[in-house]
Amino acid sequence: MDFTATYCSTRRDLEERSWWLTTRLANLTGRLMQLVGHDHLAFVGVRQECQTAKAAITASRENLADHRRAHGC
């Protein structure tokens, strides 16, 4: 997090959400790799969670870009 983000709580919150979502996707990907060839139904469920997390990361990134444009931070 850079100097500007320490003074803008909204930007800080948006960046922290992005980090949290990215960490979640990494953990889900690890779980997905463990399920390959072992439990197809669980694999499909975790794959869907990965897709949901990826969509949330995209939305979070767009929210951050919108905030930066609107507030210049």
Side-chain angles (χ1 to χ4, degrees):
M1 206 171 340
D2 67 18
F3 182 73
T4 306
T6 61
Y7 291 100
C8 180
S9 61
T10 302
R11 179 177 169 186
R12 184 190 67 235
D13 292 345
L14 289 167
E15 288 181 345
E16 285 177 0
R17 176 158 172 73
S18 292
W19 276 106
W20 182 85
L21 288 167
T22 302
T23 301
R24 175 160 170 69
L25 182 58
N27 291 336
L28 286 169
T29 302
R31 177 75 178 124
L32 197 64
M33 295 304 293
Q34 292 173 345
L35 291 170
V36 171
H38 294 286
D39 186 345
H40 181 71
L41 191 57
F43 177 88
V44 171
V46 173
R47 189 178 84 188
Q48 180 60 43
E49 288 184 60
C50 286
Q51 292 170 341
T52 301
K54 183 179 174 186
I57 289 169
T58 300
S60 180
R61 182 183 174 277
E62 290 169 359
N63 290 339
L64 180 58
D66 291 344
H67 176 77
R68 285 179 176 170
R69 272 193 300 278
H71 297 277
C73 64

